[in-house]
Each structure stands twice: as C-alpha cells, then as structure tokens.
Amino acid sequence: MKPVERYNPRVEEPRWQRAWEEKKSFVVADDDPREPYYVLEMFPYPSGRIHMGHVRNYSMGDVLARYKRARGFNVLHPMGWDAFGLPAENAAKQTGSHPKAWTYANIDTMRKQLKSMGLSFDWTREFATCDPEYYQRQQKLFLDFLKAGLVTRKSSKVNWDPVDETVLANEQVIDGRGWRSGALVEQRELTQWFFKISDYSEELLIALDGLNEWPDKVRTMQRNWIGKSEGLRLLFELVPSSLTSATAIEVFTTRPDTIFGASFIALSPDHPLAAEIARADAGVRAFIDEFHRQGTATETLEKAEKQGVFTGLSVKHPVRPDRTLPVYVANFVLMDYGAGAIFGCPAHDQRDLDFARKYGLNVIPVVLPPGADPEDFSVGEQAYVGPGTIYHSEFLDGLPVEAAKSEIARYFGERRVGNRPQGTVETQYRLRDWGISRQRYWGCPIPVIHCEEHGIVPVPDKDLPVRLPDDVTFDKPGNPLDHHPSWKHVPCPICGRPARRETDTMDTFVDSSWYFARFTAPHADAPTVPARANAWLPVDQYIGGVEHAILHLLYSRFFTRAMRKTGHLDLDEPFKGMFTQGMVVHETYRDRNGEWVLPADVTLEGMGGKRRATLTATGEPIEIGSIEKMSKSKKNVVDPDEIVRTYGADCARWFMLSDSPPERDVQWTEAGIEGASRFQQRVWKLVQDMIELRGGAAAPQAAPADAAALRKLVHRTIKSVGDNIEGLRFNSAVAHIYELTNGLTRFAATLESAPSAGGIAALAEGVETLVQIIAPMMPHLAESCWAALGKAGMVADARWPEADPALLVDDSVVIAVQVNGKRRGEITVPVGAPREHTEKEALSLEPVARMLDGRAPSKIIIVPDRIVNVVI
RNA sequence: GCGGGCGUGAUGGAAUGGUAGACAUACGGGACUUAAAAUCCCGGGGCUGUAAGCCGUGAGGGUUCAAGUCCCUCCGCCCGCACCA
C-alpha cells in the first residue's frame, strides 16, 4: 500500500464543528415525534478555564447523547453555567474586576473551550444562573414556595468573622479562625430564611428505594444524611427547686429500654433551662460561654473531651420516684436534635460512659449480653451496645431489647405528667431545614421587603426581577448590597412608606436545584412550561462528581417536590438515572526547593523503580510524588486546550473513556494520550487502505473463508459496543472497538496479496461499521472517515448499525473440558449438540482418558455450549 | 465510632458462578531503514532446565461438580458521615 497522509485533527475538527453548527445538528425540537431522552452532565462553575475533570464528565455524557440520537431518540443535551458564587467576589477584591464582568468573561472562555471539544450540546438552550432572566424565575419560585408554606424564617447559629463582618461556611473556618482574615470565629444568632426540606424527610427517604438507577453508595449516603430514628420523647419531673420554676425536663431517647440504667440528665449548653440556670450560677455561665467560644469548627467538636457542669437541679426517676438523677449541662448534647436533652445510661452508651467516668456517676448495667453471667457481668471502659436480655429492670426483666422498648413505651404512654403523657413515641430525622440566606453580593436576591408596619412583604410579581445593582464596591468588609447607598431603600408595596429591601442573597445551591427543569423551556416567561417539563423530565441520565452526592441531589429532589406542590411541574424525582464519575488524577512533581512543578515542565525517563524526572529547562532533578487529583495548588494539571491543540479533541475524549472504568479515578499519562492518537491514525489509515482496495482490481472470486468470521466479529462488536455504552461501560466498549480494529487491519492485510470482491465487500461493511461505532467517542474522525468513504450525510445523523442476530450465533463452539473442576483441554462441538455427543467428545480427550484410566466417571456436568466437568 | 467501596501480571484494567489476565500501556525480540522515528509482526503470571505437571485473583476458612465472582473471619487501602442520644 502506498503511504497514507496522516489525519490532521487541527484541520478536521474545526471543520466538523462548523458543519454541525450550520446544520443545527444538535438543536432539539420539543415537538419532535421521536421518543425523548434527556442526558445531562452537571453544569460547571465558570471558574476561568475548563479542566480535565470537565473533559471526562462531558465526554461521557456526549457518548451517551450521540449514541441515543443514533438509536432514534430525540435527545436533549443542554449546557449552562452555575454562575453565582464567592470566587467572583474574591476576584473582585483581589483584582478589582466586577463579579459580573469576571463571570461572563470566564463563560466566554469556557464556552469556546467546550465547543472545541465537539460536544453535541444544544447551545440554543444555554443560560447562566446569574442571568436576570434566570434568577427572576428563581425569585418567582421562592415567592410561590413562600405562599405554599415551604419557606420559613428563623434564628440560627452562624460562624461569624468579626473582621470581615461576614458569615462563613463551615469549610471556611480553619482551626477556629476565618480562612481569609485569620480572626477568631464567633457564634452568632442570625435570623435567616429556610426552605422546609424537613417537611419531606420521610418522602425523600422512602423514594430512595425507587431510584434503582442510582449508585447504592449515593442512596446510602442520602439515607444516612436524612438519618431517621425511632425513639421516645420522655418527661422527667424536676425535684422542686428555687433555681427554676420549670417542673419537668423533656428528653429524646432511642433506648428507653435502658431507663433503669439511667444515672444522670444532660442538657445542651443551648437549652433554655441551661440559660436560666446560668443567669444565677457563674460556674454554669462560664461553662456555656466557653462552649460558645470553641465554635462549631468541626475539628474542635471531634476532639473535644466530654465535659459538663452540675446545675444544682435533679429529677425523679420516672419509674422509681425514690431515686433522683443529677442534671448537668454537657458539651456533647446538641440543641437542634431531639429535645436538646438526654438521659445518660453509661453502661450502654459510650459517650455517657465517658462522661460518667469523668464525673464519678453510677454505671448500672441493665442489658445482659447473650450467654453472660448476671453475677459476673460488668462494664469497664467499653459500653455494651449489643443485643441482649434486660435485667435489673423490674417489670422489663427477661425481655429482649426490642420487646423492652415497646413495653416501656406503652408504660410511659399510659402515665401522665401534669396533663401530658410521660412518654410519646416519636420519629426523629437528622435532616435540618435548609438555610439559604447568604450575606453576599453575587447571588440571587431574596425578593422580600421588610416594612415596619407590615413585616415581611413579598415583592409583587410585576416588580420582578429584583436586580442586583451593578454599582457596588468591595473595599469594605461585609455585604456590598447592605452598603449600597440606595438599593435597599424602597417603599413598602402595601403602604408605600419607607421600607427596607432584604439584602441577603440565596445559597448558590438553590440555583442548581432546578436548572435541569429550566433547560426544558429556557426562554419561557414562567420558571417552567409544565407540559414541557413533564414531557422531558425526569432526566434519563445525570452524570457528575460524587462530591454532589448529598447536598445538590437532595436539594434538587426537594425542589422537584416543591415545584410540584406549586404547580410548576408534575413529578417527584428529577433524575431517573444517576452516575457518579471518578476523578482525573496525575503524578505530582516537586523541585529541590519543594515547590510544585507542572507536568509540562518535566522530562521523564526510565521505567519502574528507575524512573527519573528532570526539569526540562535546566536539567535539575525533580522528585516524583504521589498520584493525586489534579489541582492547581499542586500544579499536577494538564491543560485541555494544550491537549486539544496537540492531539485533537477526539484523542482527549477517547483517552478519558478508554483507560479506566468511568466510576473510578483515571490517571492522566502522556503514554495514554499518545496511545489514543496512535489509534486515531490507525483508523484513518485503515479507511484509506479500504478506499484504495475498493478502487483497485479485484478478482471476481467469492469471499475468502475468513470473511465469514470477519462478519461475525463485526456484528458481535456492534452488539457489545451498544450494550456497553448503554451500561456506561465505556472502557469495555473501547476494548471491543480495538478488537474489531485489529481484526479489520489483519483482514485488510490478507486482501492486499489476494484481493477478492467478496473479501472487499466484507471489509467495507466492517470499516463502515467501525466508523459508526467510534462516532460517539471520536465524532470528528468519524465524520472525516465517513466523508472519505463517500457516504451520504453525516455520521451524526446516521442510524446506529443493527447487529444481524444470525451472525451473533456460531455454528460450533469451543468449550473447556474440566476434570474435577480443573481445565484439562477443550473440544469443539456444534452449537446445541446433544449431550451424548459432547460427553463422548469430552471423554475421548486424551488427558481426560488418561486421568480416568479406565474408570467410569462418577458424574459428568454438561452446561450446553459452555463447559464440561468430568467428576471422578 | 458508623456506613460504603476496593484489593487480579510491570501498569490501567477484562471476566451472566463455567477456559483468569480480554483490550490497552510499558517492556523484550524480530522485520523495514545507512540510522533513528513511525509502522508492522512475535513474546510474556509464577515454579519445575524442556514437556507432562504443580501453584496462582490480599490472608484463612466454607458453600458448590465448578469461586476473582456467593458466605464467614481477618489484614490492608480509599471514600463519605461523624458527640444525632
């Protein structure tokens, strides 16, 4: 064959991108009669430039979208921007740029980058969440939720940075200090807006069972996050005291069966009764103040020792009025779970035991482990939390734990403290309402007005959107909206008197909680067009990082229900299929000063343990470090633009899909991307060889015998690649494509010496098929090959090839023959051969006969067309 | 602590309970070349000199005609949540 000119992605890729755009290949119509299919990848935050994680995410989604299109679906595959957020404000502070200008400039850059990857997005549906057209509808949703009773306002603790005068998220508090100012963070009570997600705790939990196209891991994480537990709310009567007028303390417990082991009561430092005691008791006051100083920074909580202070109060044991229990304030009791107070049973709860040991409280075992001797059993430093039989517990004695729980619940349910039942069975959830208030500029304004006369007044629909002012400054700490000279001063919509606009903006998680619905009608006046939303949703396949497994997905599930309640759509679950992709990782490199070095600046030599790295510019030795997620801070990043420029988008896409299962991390390597590039050229060469063969003189003889085998390979590959794409096993699909390519290349080589019309026809079918099945992954190369082969139209519009069922089955099959489960040889039998035939063939196999040595086998297992196992 | 996942050649990884290591990468050998690159072909889990054979999917046990796959115990690594009573 004559040498083939190399495929040049730099020329071919932009050409096909223009062609798709001109033909509006991926613009989707809502009234298309074909069955709808909605593929969505998590939209990016416009941080500046796309990174390899995006390349991986969008490559996967694009394969599925293109494949489903080829299978005859009307595919919705949109893209937008999660564009509000703190980095824009930080950039404003650092560089003086305006958040809006910064964000839209980033979007322009990233859009261009995404377009260079040849992704089949319907760009006519693009929006950014910071577009007033988007956040106007979000404000409308907020007001509808407010009207429907799904929004509430309450006081809540926040991390307050006294220097920056701002609220910090938990992850912005490092060692109890603000991440930017370094100031000690304080706890402050602030009145904030909340979405009542907890109204849906049970529904959100139950519905997880139906999400069978979600990873189990994600469902489990959500289950734990919702954190349902059944228990008893229980009243303890206070021993009358001059310290308080209160008469009882309410606690929540999931272990009412251990009531006879109770030895103290502990109140949260935030408990109202604790506050009351603290007013008169300096010791308690000091304890509570110290607790508040320590803050909610997670590390401090985790390491904190169990500590408490005695209040001077005591309560009566609810069954044994002769016993009293001391009441403490303890640092490990949470105010916002259960009743903000507990009874401590040290023998059967580790925290209570730690506390009891520290303060010398009784440890009374009341659950006897199976087989333990009641005379001998005692609790040391390890609380016993396992199953067992209740003892030392009067009428509960002898009952197993679960039975004792219901028995004691009934007992307390019948008794009264005052006019209330002493015990009430109750279900508790860990899930809290979703606080959405942020004291920030670059977010969606909360559309309410505070009037002295009329309180909270919703902004009337006609006044929406509440636009962010452009003329803000970031030179002062605090919320720029609050400093703005005029923005917040508005008349009350009811009385017209001077009132104050809400200056808090919404958590950016709100923006991403409904964007998937907006894509179904991105230009509508209302948040959605319900008929369209109902037709497209739920998203058939959602793809994104596992870091959003809890919050984003849970909030979206809540939003879908809230939008159903307010008439914006009519479904429960937004995402039918969910897939969490792995990260892109890379080796790290450091120079002799310990500074991180970019992979692009490093030269690598050798292999295995002998690998060496040097700085390309100077030859300075470089230390090769661990393999970690690509991050700017460790500089182990590879710029997608650079890769597209050097190898082309198709190679980047192919490599992202080929090397690892999509849910696992993939390691970016130079060798890997070069392998992709080599494959690209092989396909191109194969197509060129094919064209040359077709144009040459061929003997009119029938196809060679192996043409039949080739056709089988072709059709089996159609089947397996389709199945693998459907199952999102892209790496397996790639492997099968390699096998086909290897088969075709070898076959083409044999035709070279003996060209035959039949052989060329078989090869042509195979090559065309190859071009079609690589199209979802390497769409540009596929178009170039398609055109070179003289096929009409574009591959992007071609139907997926059909596997001929007749070619998927073989006439005969090679099956393994085992003796006692060990493989001893193989035989070839016709498919569906009768048992007798298979048995005879197997027994006549030399090693089998030798091992049998004349004896009769005791058993012969035959799995037709699979395996024979001769048991001696 | 609780929950989830993973552990297979030099490396990434394949394998509805049915021939372990597909496919790729790296490596070695060969062809082509003045040479190199590129390309093409061949090789490869370990042990026993070859063959026959034996061993082999983190370790140990079990279920089964048959286990990488199912069950139990343990070890290691990764991820998530974490004082939720």
Side-chain angles (χ1 to χ4, degrees):
Chain A
M1 296 269 173
K2 67 178 183 203
V4 171
E5 199 162 318
R6 289 172 67 79
Y7 175 76
N8 185 353
R10 269 184 298 272
V11 174
E12 299 292 310
E13 291 188 350
R15 174 181 157 210
W16 293 115
Q17 285 157 20
R18 277 193 302 275
W20 294 322
E21 191 146 353
E22 277 159 22
K23 280 203 63 188
K24 301 190 189 326
S25 296
F26 308 119
V27 176
V28 59
D30 297 296
D31 56 1
D32 192 296
R34 292 172 298 174
E35 195 181 333
Y37 190 90
Y38 190 172
V39 189
L40 186 64
E41 299 100 67
M42 288 180 183
F43 66 164
Y45 176 76
S47 55
R49 304 177 62 76
I50 65 166
H51 53 68
M52 279 301 169
H54 293 127
V55 173
R56 192 174 192 204
N57 192 190
Y58 303 132
S59 296
M60 290 179 192
D62 202 47
V63 169
L64 193 64
R66 286 175 178 270
Y67 170 78
K68 285 288 180 180
R69 265 173 58 81
R71 292 309 289 253
F73 288 86
N74 186 35
V75 174
L76 175 56
H77 187 214
M79 178 47 66
W81 311 94
D82 188 13
F84 275 134
L86 201 50
E89 285 186 58
N90 292 339
K93 284 181 193 156
Q94 279 158 18
T95 70
S97 62
H98 192 283
K100 186 190 209 172
W102 183 86
T103 301
Y104 281 105
N106 287 348
I107 288 174
D108 285 342
T109 305
M110 292 172 73
R111 185 192 302 107
K112 202 182 290 167
Q113 288 185 293
L114 288 184
K115 287 196 170 179
S116 78
M117 289 186 54
L119 301 162
S120 65
F121 291 129
D122 178 355
W123 286 102
T124 67
R125 292 175 187 248
E126 175 192 1
F127 58 77
T129 56
C130 63
D131 296 342
E133 294 75 22
Y134 184 80
Y135 70 71
Q136 170 180 355
R137 277 74 199 197
Q138 186 160 304
Q139 291 170 343
K140 169 70 174 153
L141 288 176
F142 176 91
L143 294 173
D144 285 356
F145 290 4
L146 183 65
K147 213 178 298 171
L150 292 163
V151 182
T152 184
R153 221 167 122 73
K154 56 189 175 189
S155 174
S156 154
K157 262 201 276 186
V158 294
N159 301 307
W160 179 259
D161 185 321
V163 171
D164 278 356
E165 291 180 35
T166 189
V167 171
L168 299 175
N170 275 335
E171 53 271 27
Q172 293 170 335
V173 180
I174 297 152
D175 290 333
R177 290 170 181 274
W179 67 324
R180 296 179 69 84
S181 69
L184 277 174
V185 168
E186 298 168 5
Q187 298 296 298
R188 274 214 184 172
E189 288 281 338
L190 234 56
T191 305
Q192 309 207 70
W193 291 95
F194 286 82
F195 283 137
K196 291 169 76 179
I197 189 172
S198 63
D199 283 5
Y200 290 90
S201 298
E202 183 67 17
E203 196 185 326
L204 289 167
L205 181 70
I206 298 283
L208 285 171
D209 294 336
L211 295 174
N212 47 24
E213 291 177 46
W214 281 39
D216 286 342
K217 177 189 167 104
V218 173
R219 291 198 284 173
T220 307
M221 282 164 74
Q222 294 220 349
R223 249 178 229 119
N224 294 341
W225 190 259
I226 295 169
K228 180 179 182 172
S229 56
E230 312 263 1
L232 201 63
R233 196 172 272 267
L234 189 57
L235 288 170
F236 285 79
E237 281 183 88
L238 275 160
V239 175
S241 155
S242 58
L243 299 172
T244 177
S245 56
T247 56
I249 294 176
E250 196 174 49
V251 306
F252 177 74
T253 179
T254 55
R255 292 300 302 274
D257 54 302
T258 63
I259 187 68
F260 288 94
S263 54
F264 65 96
I265 296 286
L267 304 175
S268 163
D270 296 315
H271 197 282
L273 184 54
E276 187 185 343
I277 299 298
R279 276 195 287 276
D281 185 326
V284 173
R285 191 162 61 239
F287 179 82
I288 293 175
D289 288 349
E290 173 57 25
F291 174 81
H292 285 145
R293 253 195 302 282
Q294 295 197 344
T296 54
T298 36
E299 297 103 298
T300 36
L301 278 183
E302 283 159 28
K303 289 173 198 149
E305 197 186 345
K306 305 277 173 289
Q307 282 175 5
V309 60
F310 181 53
T311 58
L313 298 172
S314 48
V315 297
K316 298 176 191 164
H317 189 280
V319 186
R320 299 274 306 273
D322 55 310
R323 280 201 221 161
T324 63
L325 313 176
V327 178
Y328 283 77
V329 175
N331 64 348
F332 66 96
V333 182
L334 305 172
M335 189 57 221
D336 49 3
Y337 183 80
I342 58 154
F343 80 74
C345 175
H348 304 294
D349 183 288
Q350 192 59 44
R351 294 157 302 182
D352 297 350
L353 183 64
D354 294 345
F355 192 80
R357 291 292 183 222
K358 179 155 177 154
Y359 294 101
L361 299 162
N362 287 340
V363 179
I364 312 161
V366 290
V367 180
L368 191 63
D373 177 356
E375 301 305 314
D376 206 33
F377 178 66
S378 69
V379 168
E381 289 311 306
Q382 211 67 43
Y384 180 72
V385 295
T389 310
I390 305 295
Y391 72 136
H392 297 158
S393 297
E394 305 193 1
F395 56 90
L396 296 179
D397 283 355
L399 292 174
V401 165
E402 285 310 311
K405 280 184 186 172
S406 19
E407 180 58 29
I408 196 75
R410 205 177 61 213
Y411 174 84
F412 285 129
E414 286 164 1
R415 294 180 45 142
R416 291 289 179 276
V417 171
N419 55 358
R420 302 166 63 189
Q422 183 159 28
T424 327
V425 173
E426 192 175 282
T427 303
Q428 280 286 335
Y429 299 90
R430 221 180 68 105
L431 183 65
R432 310 287 155 72
D433 280 335
W434 173 14
I436 59 157
S437 294
R438 297 291 182 270
Q439 292 69 40
R440 311 251 178 243
Y441 165 70
W442 195 233
C444 173
I446 295 175
V448 299
I449 291 163
H450 302 269
C451 171
E452 281 198 24
E453 175 76 21
H454 297 97
I456 305 285
V457 183
V459 172
D461 281 3
K462 68 173 172 54
D463 294 341
L464 294 183
V466 175
R467 279 176 188 272
L468 286 170
D470 285 338
D471 53 339
V472 286
T473 54
F474 296 90
D475 46 1
K476 276 187 280 188
N479 181 354
L481 285 178
D482 207 35
H483 306 146
H484 191 277
S486 59
W487 188 75
K488 67 180 173 185
H489 302 297
V490 288
C492 167
I494 298 173
C495 65
R497 274 189 293 210
R500 185 177 59 81
R501 196 185 276 297
E502 171 71 65
T503 56
D504 284 356
T505 52
M506 293 185 210
D507 178 6
T508 55
F509 271 110
V510 178
D511 311 337
S512 55
S513 292
W514 69 286
Y515 77 107
F516 48 87
R518 183 71 183 167
F519 276 136
T520 65
H523 310 299
D525 278 341
T528 66
V529 175
R532 293 240 184 113
N534 296 338
W536 280 114
L537 292 169
V539 172
D540 290 279
Q541 186 65 59
Y542 195 33
I543 307 176
V546 72
E547 68 273 19
H548 293 115
I550 298 180
L551 293 183
H552 164 59
L553 293 177
L554 196 60
Y555 292 156
S556 299
R557 297 180 62 218
F558 160 71
F559 242 76
T560 305
R561 287 165 170 82
M563 289 172 78
R564 178 192 59 195
K565 187 170 182 187
T566 49
H568 294 286
L569 44 69
D570 189 20
L571 68 149
D572 297 341
E573 288 294 337
F575 311 121
K576 179 160 169 277
M578 174 67 219
F579 187 83
T580 52
Q581 103 222 11
M583 298 181 300
V584 182
V585 298
H586 196 288
E587 277 182 333
T588 50
Y589 306 108
R590 293 179 120 147
D591 67 17
R592 62 163 83 93
N593 301 321
E595 302 290 329
W596 302 106
V597 178
L598 285 166
D601 296 335
V602 171
T603 302
L604 293 165
E605 287 162 305
M607 63 166 299
K610 293 206 197 85
R611 290 178 69 237
R612 280 181 352 106
T614 49
L615 201 60
T616 310
T618 64
E620 175 192 330
I622 291 293
E623 186 195 338
I624 301 176
S626 57
I627 296 164
E628 297 188 44
K629 178 184 181 175
M630 282 192 180
S631 74
K632 279 182 202 158
S633 60
K634 295 196 172 152
K635 285 199 176 177
N636 59 338
V637 289
V638 174
D639 181 18
D641 262 4
E642 197 63 41
I643 297 301
V644 169
R645 230 184 341 261
T646 314
Y647 299 95
D650 282 341
C651 290
R653 295 167 57 124
W654 182 259
F655 176 46
M656 284 286 94
L657 297 163
S658 63
D659 240 35
S660 288
E663 69 278 10
R664 273 196 233 172
D665 291 350
V666 64
Q667 189 187 345
W668 182 274
T669 60
E670 197 70 14
I673 185 72
E674 273 167 9
S677 186
R678 206 148 46 224
F679 175 72
Q680 176 170 258
Q681 297 300 340
R682 273 185 67 196
V683 172
W684 180 246
K685 181 171 187 304
L686 178 61
V687 168
Q688 300 306 313
D689 290 351
M690 167 68 220
I691 292 166
E692 200 189 326
L693 274 169
R694 200 172 52 187
Q701 62 211 197
D706 51 1
L710 185 77
R711 294 202 66 217
K712 279 186 180 170
L713 173 64
V714 169
H715 284 260
R716 269 205 310 272
T717 308
I718 294 172
K719 174 87 167 65
S720 53
V721 169
D723 289 350
N724 282 322
I725 291 177
E726 301 250 6
L728 308 180
R729 294 179 299 269
F730 305 115
N731 56 322
S732 294
V734 164
H736 284 114
I737 290 174
Y738 271 116
E739 282 184 272
L740 176 61
T741 309
N742 291 344
L744 290 170
T745 307
R746 248 174 252 133
F747 188 79
T750 63
L751 277 187
E752 236 174 281
S753 48
S756 70
I760 289 170
L763 182 66
E765 183 196 18
V767 170
E768 278 171 25
T769 301
L770 175 65
V771 169
Q772 280 186 279
I773 63 178
I774 61 166
M777 302 170 185
M778 297 185 128
H780 312 86
L781 173 69
E783 295 290 3
S784 296
C785 294
W786 196 248
L789 287 167
K791 303 291 287 184
M794 291 200 282
V795 195
D797 298 318
R799 281 300 292 254
W800 192 256
E802 288 294 331
D804 182 348
L807 291 171
L808 297 179
V809 293
D810 286 309
D811 306 335
S812 64
V813 64
V814 177
I815 64 177
V817 177
Q818 302 177 329
V819 176
N820 292 339
K822 275 201 167 56
R823 184 180 174 279
R824 296 294 167 184
E826 58 190 31
I827 55 177
T828 305
V829 294
V831 164
R835 296 182 65 87
E836 302 74 47
H837 176 80
T838 308
E839 188 176 317
K840 191 164 143 262
E841 288 288 316
L843 290 178
S844 61
L845 210 58
E846 192 275 331
V848 177
R850 177 155 42 77
M851 293 191 75
L852 274 173
D853 194 22
R855 289 167 296 175
S858 64
K859 201 171 179 184
I860 299 177
I861 312 278
I862 296 177
V863 182
D865 304 338
R866 288 222 86 112
I867 204 158
V868 179
N869 189 9
V870 179
V871 186
I872 300 177

